[in-house]
């Protein structure tokens, strides 16, 4: 009898252990699955990242990680800020700085733009305070940065892997070029950085020419020149030129470029191409018409018209190799004969308004909505005469327009379309594995408990 009782007790003890063990495995498996997803994403990113041609600074990590937000940095498009007005609910809340550098603040049942580009949170608070004094007596305003857009730079020229690279505030030029793997024909003595800055609320473009060789490969007995290896900034455009040989001929680059060239020397192996020539000319000016770049060959009356969007595609046949005495001309957009699409789209930029165009057509021209874009937060910013007081901001619901429940909108010259970029949804834990394990143990217990 005692043995029978002990046998039954031991059976329940074993089942109890099995229950705890199964739940533990299920929970551990779920955790491992979630961690594995993150590791897999990290592993793929690491696999996709080319090995460095030479090591960067020793203190720089092999991967660029997220860093703490600088609470006092100047605001720029894409920043999400929190505006807090003491004892005032309506203007308080989160706002996204749009492509024009404005936030669309809510007050007195209306939405009004306030320009904050290039201002620190403290300066932004002062600007908002000045605006709100018309509606609120002695408003007490604080501004804090909630989210910043991921900083990226683009690299082109004599590198094996061109395109965007994510950076943080400690990423240097040498590190970025090492990741892009410069090739044997790279001329590191005149690397160019086209840099955009906000000055008094206006975006200015400047070009830096750096002798990176003086840092990467200093002369015997000399120290690396840190001044030639600056920290990179968001939206920097880096161009690594090819080594040039004298008497290979020259080309001319004119029109809407930053630094027109009348004697740009050709290089060989590989040949200088259209995109590289424009980059060596400082890049496109703000009013450049990307869809109307002309190339005239020496001794020919035929003019080729090239769309840079197509020329920038991978292995594009439109990125033509240049010959001696070729002439490149980048056309200009006529005053206010274009519209702008920025924010949550695949391909932001200026687009010529050369035919009747609707909001839907404009978004399609910009490559469509980007993943996680807030398609219910689509704004058209319209300023007919350039006066700030006449700026009108109108919001539209994109899904309703697509469904035919709202009328599509005809654009006007100078319109700026802003689509709020979103963030990936938070990961939700799937408990099906845990429930399945618990159900299996329950049936096992009920089947042996008699």
């Amino acid at each position: 009898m005692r043995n029978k009782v002990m046998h039954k007790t031991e059976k329940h003890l074993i089942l109890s252990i099995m229950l705890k063990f199964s739940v533990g495995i299920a929970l551990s498996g779920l955790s491992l699955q979630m961690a594995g997803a993150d590791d897999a994403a990290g592993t793929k990113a690491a696999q996709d990242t080319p090995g460095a041609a030479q090591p960067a600074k020793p203190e720089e990590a092999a991967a660029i990680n997220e860093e703490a937000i600088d609470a006092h940095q100047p605001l720029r498009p894409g920043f999400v800020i929190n505006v807090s007005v003491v004892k005032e609910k309506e203007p308080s809340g989160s706002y996204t700085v749009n492509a024009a550098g404005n936030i669309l603040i809510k007050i007195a049942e209306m939405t009004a733009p306030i320009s904050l580009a290039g201002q620190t949170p403290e300066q932004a608070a002062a600007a908002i305070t000045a605006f709100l004094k018309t509606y609120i007596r002695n408003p007490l305003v604080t501004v804090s940065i909630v989210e910043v857009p991921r900083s990226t730079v683009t690299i082109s020229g004599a590198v094996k892997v061109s395109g965007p690279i994510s950076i943080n505030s400690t990423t240097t030029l040498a590190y970025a070029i090492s990741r892009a793997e410069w090739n044997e024909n790279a001329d590191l003595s005149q690397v160019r950085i086209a840099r955009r800055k906000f000055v008094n609320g206006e975006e200015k473009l400047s070009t830096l020419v750096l002798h990176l060789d003086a840092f990467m490969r200093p002369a015997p007995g000399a120290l690396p020149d840190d001044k030639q290896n600056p920290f990179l900034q968001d939206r920097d455009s880096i161009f690594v030129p090819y080594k040039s040989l004298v008497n290979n001929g020259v080309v001319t680059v004119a029109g809407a470029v930053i630094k027109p060239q009348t004697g740009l020397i050709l290089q060989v192996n590989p040949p200088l191409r259209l995109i590289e020539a424009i980059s060596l000319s400082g890049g496109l000016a703000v009013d450049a018409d990307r869809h109307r770049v002309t190339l005239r060959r020496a001794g020919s009356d035929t003019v080729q018209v090239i769309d840079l969007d197509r020329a920038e595609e991978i292995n594009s046949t439109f990125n033509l190799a240049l010959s001696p005495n070729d002439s490149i001309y980048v056309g200009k957009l006529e005053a206010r004969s274009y519209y702008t699409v920025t924010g949550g789209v695949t391909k932001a930029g200026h687009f010529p308004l050369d035919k009747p165009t609707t909001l839907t057509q404009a978004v399609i021209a910009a490559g469509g909505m980007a993943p996680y874009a807030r398609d219910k937060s689509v704004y058209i910013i319209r300023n007919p005469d350039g006066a700030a007081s006449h700026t009108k901001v109108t919001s539209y619901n994109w899904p309703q327009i697509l469904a035919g429940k709202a009328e599509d909108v005809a654009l006007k010259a100078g319109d700026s379309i802003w689509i709020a970029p979103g963030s990936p949804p938070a990961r939700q834990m799937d408990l099906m594995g845990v429930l399945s394990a618990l159900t299996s143990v329950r049936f096992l217990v009920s089947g042996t408990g008699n």
Side-chain angles (χ1 to χ4, degrees), residues 271-398:
L272 181 69
R273 293 185 176 273
L274 177 67
I275 297 298
E276 286 74 24
I278 292 175
S279 295
L280 286 171
S281 304
L284 298 175
V286 175
D287 59 348
D289 185 349
R290 295 177 53 83
H291 307 293
R292 193 164 53 89
V293 177
T294 60
L295 172 63
R296 184 188 296 275
R297 301 287 191 181
S300 173
D301 294 331
T302 303
V303 175
Q304 301 180 60
V305 181
I306 301 166
D307 187 334
L308 287 187
D309 285 347
R310 303 192 67 178
E312 289 177 347
E313 296 173 354
I314 298 176
N315 299 325
S316 174
T317 57
F318 292 89
N319 188 19
L320 301 175
L322 301 178
S323 302
N325 300 318
D326 279 353
S327 296
I328 301 168
Y329 183 82
V330 180
K332 295 183 179 181
L333 292 169
E334 297 180 8
R336 300 185 66 81
S337 65
Y338 59 87
Y339 62 91
T340 306
V341 186
T342 52
V345 290
T346 303
K347 197 171 198 178
H350 295 301
F351 298 88
L353 191 63
D354 51 7
K355 59 183 178 181
T357 303
T358 65
L359 176 60
T360 301
Q361 293 169 329
V363 173
I364 293 173
M369 292 281 184
Y372 312 116
R374 300 171 186 171
D375 56 6
K376 294 182 181 178
S377 300
V378 178
Y379 299 92
I380 294 181
I381 303 169
R382 183 167 291 168
N383 189 322
D385 56 9
S389 59
H390 295 164
T391 299
K392 182 179 179 181
V393 180
T394 310
S395 62
Y396 297 92
N397 187 308
W398 175 257

Side-chain angles (χ1 to χ4, degrees), residues 84-416:
S84 176
V85 184
V86 175
K87 296 182 179 180
E88 298 292 339
K89 183 178 180 180
E90 185 180 37
S92 299
S94 294
Y95 296 91
T96 301
V97 182
N98 64 22
N102 302 327
I103 64 168
L104 305 177
I105 199 162
K106 304 168 187 173
I107 186 68
E109 298 184 353
M110 70 173 187
T111 301
I114 300 179
S115 178
L116 300 180
Q119 300 183 25
T120 64
E122 294 77 13
Q123 294 169 332
I128 295 172
T129 298
F131 172 81
L132 292 178
K133 283 183 178 179
T134 305
Y135 308 93
I136 302 171
R137 176 179 295 180
N138 299 324
L140 298 177
V141 180
T142 57
V143 174
S144 58
I145 299 174
V146 176
E147 181 182 335
V148 299
R150 192 176 183 86
S151 297
T152 59
V153 300
T154 56
I155 300 181
S156 62
V159 293
K160 296 180 181 178
V161 184
S162 59
I165 291 181
S166 297
I167 65 166
N168 59 30
S169 61
T170 63
T171 305
T172 62
L173 175 63
Y175 176 72
I177 291 180
S178 294
R179 284 191 60 183
E181 297 185 74
W182 71 85
N183 63 38
E184 60 184 6
N185 295 307
D187 183 359
L188 299 184
S189 68
Q190 48 179 342
V191 178
R192 290 169 170 78
I193 299 179
R195 176 164 293 171
R196 294 169 174 81
K197 284 186 176 181
F198 280 99
V199 179
N200 297 325
E202 294 185 7
E203 189 177 51
K204 302 292 184 181
L205 184 65
S206 61
T207 302
L208 306 176
V209 180
L210 299 156
H211 195 317
L212 189 58
D213 257 343
F215 173 81
M216 303 289 287
R217 296 187 284 247
L223 296 176
D225 187 353
D226 287 328
K227 293 181 180 179
Q228 305 302 318
N229 182 35
F231 293 115
L232 298 178
Q233 298 180 13
D234 184 41
R235 298 195 300 160
D236 278 354
S237 181
I238 304 166
F239 179 74
V240 182
Y242 292 93
K243 294 177 181 177
S244 300
L245 298 177
V246 182
N247 297 327
N248 284 328
V250 296
V251 298
T252 300
V253 184
V257 292
I258 302 301
K259 292 184 177 180
Q261 304 285 329
T262 57
L264 187 62
I265 299 175
L266 287 174
Q267 81 255 335
V268 295
N269 191 27
L272 181 69
R273 293 185 176 273
L274 177 67
I275 297 298
E276 286 74 24
I278 292 175
S279 295
L280 286 171
S281 304
L284 298 175
V286 175
D287 59 348
D289 185 349
R290 295 177 53 83
H291 307 293
R292 193 164 53 89
V293 177
T294 60
L295 172 63
R296 184 188 296 275
R297 301 287 191 181
S300 173
D301 294 331
T302 303
V303 175
Q304 301 180 60
V305 181
I306 301 166
D307 187 334
L308 287 187
D309 285 347
R310 303 192 67 178
E312 289 177 347
E313 296 173 354
I314 298 176
N315 299 325
S316 174
T317 57
F318 292 89
N319 188 19
L320 301 175
L322 301 178
S323 302
N325 300 318
D326 279 353
S327 296
I328 301 168
Y329 183 82
V330 180
K332 295 183 179 181
L333 292 169
E334 297 180 8
R336 300 185 66 81
S337 65
Y338 59 87
Y339 62 91
T340 306
V341 186
T342 52
V345 290
T346 303
K347 197 171 198 178
H350 295 301
F351 298 88
L353 191 63
D354 51 7
K355 59 183 178 181
T357 303
T358 65
L359 176 60
T360 301
Q361 293 169 329
V363 173
I364 293 173
M369 292 281 184
Y372 312 116
R374 300 171 186 171
D375 56 6
K376 294 182 181 178
S377 300
V378 178
Y379 299 92
I380 294 181
I381 303 169
R382 183 167 291 168
N383 189 322
D385 56 9
S389 59
H390 295 164
T391 299
K392 182 179 179 181
V393 180
T394 310
S395 62
Y396 297 92
N397 187 308
W398 175 257
Q400 288 188 358
I401 293 176
L402 292 183
K405 297 180 180 179
E407 186 178 355
D408 206 352
V409 185
L411 298 184
K412 294 184 178 181
D415 278 357
S416 179

